[in-house]
Structure formats: structure tokens, C-alpha cells
Amino acid sequence: MSTPVLSTLQARVRRRRMLGALGWMLPPAAAIGFGLFWHGLPLPAFVFAMLGFLAIACGLLREIRGVDRKAIVRALDSALPNLDDSTDLLLHKEAQLSALQRLQRARVSARLGSTPLPDLRPAWPWMRIALAWGAALVLVLVPVYWPLPQALVAGPETGNAADAVITTNAGTVLQSAHLRIESPGYTGLSPRDETTLDAAFPAGSSLQWNVRFDSEAAAVHLEFHDGERLPLIFDGTQWQGQRTLVESSLYRIVLEGAPPLSENRLYRLDAIVDTPPEVHVIEPDRSLSIVEDTQRSWNVSFEANDDYGIADARLAITLAQGSGEQVTVKEQAITLRAEAGGDTRHRRYRHRLDLQALGFAQGDDVIVRFVVSDTRQPQANITRSASFILRWPADVSAEAEGIDGVVQKALPAYFRSQRQIIIDSEALLAGKSTLDAAKFAARSDAIGVDQKILRLRYGQFLGEEFETGGSGKPKPASDAHSAAHDDAGNDHDHDAAEKTESEGHDHDDGHEHAASTFGNAGDIVAEYGHTHDHAEAATLLDPETKKILKAALAEMWQAELHLRLADPAQALPYENRALGYIKQV
């Protein structure tokens, strides 16, 4: 019963909308057709009648398209509050509904059957109808009392009325068009001529227009979409103009003192921006390399690609010397020569670093970065690669004896990357103008990941650990301790599987540890020296060192936050303060 009700209401609403639309669309169309037929133009009148019929049909279809059953349901819910906004249940089959929904559907059907149906039809558009009939009356009276001139109706003696109308409405024809494009010198591209007014070209190219029309004009200019105009100069046979474009644009040709162009359309100019060079590092194949005992040199090589050519390639070298955070930094740059042969757009570079001549010694770090610039003028595009580190492994300190092995006064020597984080942040800020927003945010986030890794490493000495999220079973204390310190030497971030637990660990109180062996130093330290349940006791550091290290971790937290938010300028003060605290440690 409910479905016929919806169909009936839908038909009423559609009928009203169609009649209302016909009331204001039909009179003007009929009046124009009558005027053409009155002046003895039956063919244009017939063509207009067909087009008018199609336009009216499309208009009626548009009027009823939005009146579907969902619209009727919404109107019923709005008009009848006792339907509980559940009329849409009538649109579904009972087999698709749950028991509660079928019960509510039956209630809605019963209420629709016992309640008078509301009038959902829209009001008549009297204003539109009145204006349409008034306009139609004017259109009928005008051709009766003010006939068209005979010349326009009859046309020339050798033609007919239809030809006369076409001749009167004809515009200026563009007879020829040539566009000469001279690309910037650094691209190495030769000038070229286009026979169309649409073109794509390198940004900064010089464009010269040469156009000719079938009628004389007092003036011609090019009007661009930003409002600027380029006047063209007439040389006796054609109109000429020249302009250098660094951005894409749209334009049209505007005539003065002559009929407008018969094809008065917009033309498109696409300025192709020179992209920065691409750098692909071949050697080293990892971001962190450990020097070997017999190693005397370090080989680096990379490939560079650019749209138009590579101009310069340099190797930026940073030598960090010292222990812990108390390091001195020396920087230098070496200009590299490309391998012979090949295209200037694709270059390959190799270089061998002499470690002895560089002053590389035990405990030092060598950090290299490849800097490549292209031939773009007046300002070249510059690309800087990621940093690659060659590290001398830290000495394994002798095992402590007695109480000296319980309290540790200083942190291991491999914690010295906080200064590198500062260097990377400053380098990122210096090159901000050459990077788009996405690349800048990605590099800032990568530095934030490095800051996170360093924070987690230092945090292990305050009782913080990694949780790998494996089976979820608690590990023995000795295994967790060794796993945490093994992870400290890993320079890769595993964000998907690791997290920091700075407020204690979720160990099972009922977990029974294996009994320690009497006289076994490892078991004694695992049981008494590295307590997981108390952050204050989960460290081998003395209280003074622990306090300073906590302050350093707090600064690292803030630095990581701003780096992840692509704001290295705000992160730098926190990074420097963290470095100061670590130096005190």
C-alpha cells in the first residue's frame, strides 16, 4: 500500500513542476518563431522551432529529474512528524530489513494509510509566468508594427534572405598566424616556428607573434587573462608583437575598428618550468658505513640528470673529531669532474677520499653530501643529496670490576649525532628557497626521525625501551636489556613497530623469572641493576648525570615535535639546548 502512495505523490509533484515550467518557457519561444514566420523566413522559423522544442524538453527533464522517491520520502518526513523519520524504510524490500526495521516499516505504512496525504506540490511560479507572457506579447507586437528593413529581408538581388543574414553576422577571419619561440640560451634549444597560436615552451622563452586578417583594423592587441595587454604593430602586411613569458597564460586577440574575429577564442601558452637536477647515489650504498681496519680511502660515486644540462657538481665534506658530543667540525667542498663522454644532461661522477690526508683518525666521523647545480640562468637549480657517514667504531671499554661496574659516569662514545641533527636542520633552512613545500616537509620529517632514534637511545639509560609488538609476551629482564642496547646501534627507524615507554613497562607481575645463578655477574645485574618497574631505578647512571640526561630528553622531545611539523626553525633552539645538556653529561 505504501509504494502506490509514494508513486502517486511523485506523479503529482512532477506534473506540477512540468506545467509550471511550460507556463514560462513556451510563450517566448512561440513568439520568436511567430516573428520569423511573419517576416517571410519559414526555414529559420522551422529551425528555431525544432531547437526550441529540444530546449523545452531538456528543461522539463531537468525539472522532474530531482523529484525521485527519495525526495518524496524526505518531504513526507518533514510534513508528517508521526512517521518518525522512517519513511525511507518503504524504499527497501522486507527481506533486506531486520526484524526491528520490518516492524517500523509496518507502522509507517499503517500511519500513511490512516493519515490524509499532504500536498507536496510546489507553488505555481506566477512571477515567471507573468514575465514570460509579457515578453511574448512584446515579441509578437514588435514584428507587426515595426517590420524589418526590406534589404535585410530580401537581401541582395543575387542572393536570398538566409544568405543576407549570414553575411551581416560574419566576422573578421584570421588568415595566417605564426608564433616564433626562442628558448633561453642555457637550454641549448634552437628557435622554432609554430603555425598555431597555442604553444608549450621553456619558461623564460621569447615569443614573437605574426598575424594577418582579411579586413583592416585600426588597432590589434593581445589581451592576457591577468588583464595585461600587448599591442601589436602593423608593418604594412601583418601585425607583429613580442614578449618574454616565465609563467603559463591564456590570451585572446582583440581587434579595434573592425568586426570581431569569427573564431574569437582563448589561446593557451604553457611555460614549462626547469626542474632541479636528480641525484642517484651509487656508492656508498648505505647511509652509515663503518671503517675497516685496513681501509685507507673511501670511494664515492653518483649520477646526476637534468632537463637541459649539469653545470657543476661538488662534494661537501664534514669531518667531526672528538669523543661524545665534545666534537670539532671541519667543513670543506671539492669540485668534481664528470666522467668523459656522454650527454651533458646525464653525468656520472667518481671520487676517492684519502682518509689519511683528510685527517681521519680513530673516533672520528666523515660526513659527505653531494651538491649538484644545473645550467639555469640567472639562478641555477641546486639539489643536495642526503648525508652519508663513514664512522670509526668505538673502542670496547674494559670490563669494570666491583662497584665501578654498577655506577656509570659517562655515556658510550657512539652518542654523537645530535650535532649532525643540528647541521642537517641548518642545511635544510639554508636550502628552503630551492625546495617545494612537499620536499621540505619530507626532509624535515626525516630529520625528526633521526632525532627520535637518538632520543630513544639516550632514553634506554633512563629505563625506556623499545617494544617490538611481537607475540605480546613479556621478555626476561636480561633479554629485554640486551635487546634494547642492541637496538641502540641500529641507525634505521622502525616507526611501525617501535614505541617508547617512558612511564614504566607493562610487565606481568605474575611472571616468574628464572632463578639467578650464584656468582654469575650477568644474572645479578639483570636482577638488581636494571629494574623495569621503577624508572628512577632503571639506570646505571649516577643521580646528577640522570638529571641532566632527563633535561636533554625533554629538549629532544620538543625538537622532534617541530621537525615533524616541518618547522626546523622552531626546532633549532631545542636541538642546541639538548646538545648543551649532553655536553654536560
Side-chain angles (χ1 to χ4, degrees):
M1 174 181 177
S2 57
T3 303
V5 170
L6 296 180
S7 300
T8 301
L9 293 175
Q10 183 182 15
R12 291 178 182 177
V13 175
R14 286 185 172 181
R15 189 182 306 114
R16 173 62 62 84
R17 292 177 70 98
M18 290 177 61
L19 293 176
L22 280 175
W24 63 268
M25 287 192 295
L26 186 60
I32 295 175
F34 170 78
L36 293 175
F37 184 80
W38 178 269
H39 286 297
L41 303 174
L43 182 59
F46 176 77
V47 173
F48 180 81
M50 294 295 99
L51 295 177
F53 175 78
L54 291 177
I56 292 174
C58 293
L60 295 179
L61 182 61
R62 180 181 178 184
E63 288 291 329
I64 66 175
R65 180 178 298 173
V67 185
D68 54 5
R69 291 197 174 186
K70 292 183 178 179
I72 299 300
V73 165
R74 291 193 297 268
L76 280 175
D77 287 336
S78 178
L80 300 177
N82 63 341
L83 297 181
D84 300 331
D85 291 332
S86 302
T87 316
D88 60 328
L89 295 175
L90 301 177
L91 303 178
H92 303 279
K93 297 181 180 179
E94 290 190 7
Q96 300 175 347
L97 302 177
S98 63
L100 182 60
Q101 289 176 328
R102 289 197 296 270
L103 178 60
Q104 182 68 8
R105 186 177 188 272
R107 292 178 179 175
V108 171
S109 299
R111 292 173 182 175
L112 278 178
S114 61
T115 304
L117 296 179
D119 188 4
L120 304 180
R121 296 176 299 177
W124 290 98
W126 295 117
M127 182 62 68
R128 288 188 179 184
I129 293 175
L131 292 176
W133 281 94
L137 181 62
V138 173
L139 292 174
V140 169
L141 296 179
V142 165
V144 174
Y145 293 99
W146 290 277
L148 294 177
Q150 188 66 25
L152 294 179
V153 178
E157 295 181 359
T158 58
N160 52 37
D163 293 337
V165 173
I166 297 174
T167 302
T168 303
N169 295 332
T172 303
V173 176
L174 181 64
Q175 290 184 333
S176 65
H178 295 279
L179 184 61
R180 184 172 180 82
I181 301 174
E182 296 182 2
S183 302
Y186 72 88
T187 63
L189 301 177
S190 303
R192 73 178 194 271
D193 293 323
E194 299 286 348
T195 57
T196 177
L197 296 178
D198 298 302
F201 48 86
S205 298
S206 175
L207 279 66
Q208 181 178 351
W209 287 266
N210 295 278
V211 292
R212 183 181 301 172
F213 310 99
D214 66 342
S215 61
E216 296 183 359
V220 179
H221 66 267
L222 305 181
E223 184 175 311
F224 293 86
H225 75 284
D226 57 1
E228 294 188 9
R229 291 188 174 188
L230 175 63
L232 302 185
I233 301 175
F234 189 65
D235 64 354
T237 58
Q238 60 184 358
W239 296 86
Q240 296 181 347
Q242 186 173 356
R243 185 180 184 184
T244 299
L245 291 179
V246 296
E247 296 180 350
S248 300
S249 181
L250 297 172
Y251 73 100
R252 68 171 71 249
I253 301 176
V254 179
L255 306 181
E256 298 180 8
L261 289 174
S262 57
E263 188 181 1
N264 188 17
R265 69 178 185 89
L266 286 172
Y267 300 96
R268 183 178 184 87
L269 299 175
D270 290 323
I272 303 174
V273 179
D274 185 8
T275 58
E278 297 180 359
V279 177
H280 174 62
V281 179
I282 302 174
E283 289 183 296
D285 58 355
R286 65 195 66 185
S287 58
L288 176 63
S289 303
I290 305 299
V291 68
E292 300 177 358
D293 294 339
T294 59
Q295 185 173 349
R296 297 292 180 268
S297 61
W298 191 26
N299 295 327
V300 295
S301 62
F302 66 97
E303 293 180 348
N305 302 283
D306 187 68
D307 302 352
Y308 305 111
I310 303 296
D312 179 63
R314 289 170 293 154
L315 181 65
I317 306 172
T318 302
L319 177 63
Q321 296 178 310
S323 61
E325 290 290 348
Q326 302 287 354
V327 296
T328 59
V329 178
K330 298 179 181 178
E331 296 182 352
Q332 59 177 305
I334 299 176
T335 301
L336 303 179
R337 297 184 60 182
E339 294 183 350
D343 190 356
T344 57
R345 295 174 298 178
H346 177 78
R347 290 295 194 185
R348 187 164 186 170
Y349 300 86
R350 294 179 183 272
H351 186 76
R352 173 173 292 182
L353 279 174
D354 188 342
L355 300 180
Q356 185 176 4
L358 194 62
F360 184 63
Q362 183 174 357
D364 296 347
D365 281 352
V366 175
I367 307 165
V368 298
R369 175 177 289 183
F370 308 105
V371 182
V372 180
S373 58
D374 61 8
T375 57
R376 181 174 177 266
Q377 296 294 334
Q379 184 177 0
N381 291 317
I382 300 177
T383 299
R384 295 175 176 85
S385 72
S387 297
F388 295 87
I389 304 172
L390 178 64
R391 174 167 296 171
W392 196 295
D395 288 341
V396 180
S397 58
E399 296 184 359
E401 299 180 358
I403 193 65
D404 292 337
V406 177
V407 179
Q408 183 173 330
K409 291 291 185 179
L411 296 181
Y414 55 75
F415 289 120
R416 39 182 174 177
S417 57
Q418 182 64 27
R419 184 179 294 275
Q420 181 58 38
I421 290 174
I422 296 174
I423 294 174
D424 291 343
S425 300
E426 293 175 344
L428 179 60
L429 290 173
K432 182 178 181 180
S433 59
T434 62
L435 299 174
D436 56 29
K439 290 184 178 179
F440 181 81
R443 293 190 182 181
S444 180
D445 183 72
I447 301 174
V449 171
D450 294 338
Q451 181 68 86
K452 172 188 175 182
I453 295 174
L454 186 62
R455 174 178 56 79
L456 293 178
R457 291 175 183 171
Y458 278 115
Q460 295 171 25
F461 291 87
L462 290 178
E464 300 176 357
E465 292 187 15
F466 295 110
E467 182 175 271
T468 57
S471 62
K473 298 179 180 180
K475 295 182 179 180
S478 59
D479 294 342
H481 178 77
S482 60
H485 287 279
D486 287 341
D487 287 342
N490 188 359
D491 282 283
H492 300 280
D493 185 21
H494 304 277
D495 287 335
E498 299 178 356
K499 66 179 181 178
T500 302
E501 299 182 352
S502 60
E503 297 181 357
H505 299 273
D506 191 17
H507 289 285
D508 188 2
D509 293 337
H511 180 72
E512 295 181 3
H513 297 283
S516 60
T517 304
F518 181 79
N520 190 325
D523 290 344
I524 294 175
V525 173
E527 183 173 1
Y528 300 102
H530 193 72
T531 304
H532 298 283
D533 297 333
H534 304 285
E536 296 298 328
T539 176
L540 298 180
L541 300 176
D542 62 282
E544 181 182 357
T545 303
K546 179 174 58 180
K547 180 179 179 180
I548 300 174
L549 186 55
K550 281 186 177 180
L553 290 179
E555 300 296 337
M556 290 182 183
W557 266 112
Q558 294 298 325
E560 178 188 344
L561 170 65
H562 292 290
L563 288 171
R564 289 300 184 94
L565 295 177
D567 193 359
Q570 291 291 334
L572 265 177
Y574 297 104
E575 296 173 5
N576 285 290
R577 284 196 291 268
L579 176 60
Y581 284 127
I582 297 172
K583 286 182 177 181
Q584 296 180 38
V585 173

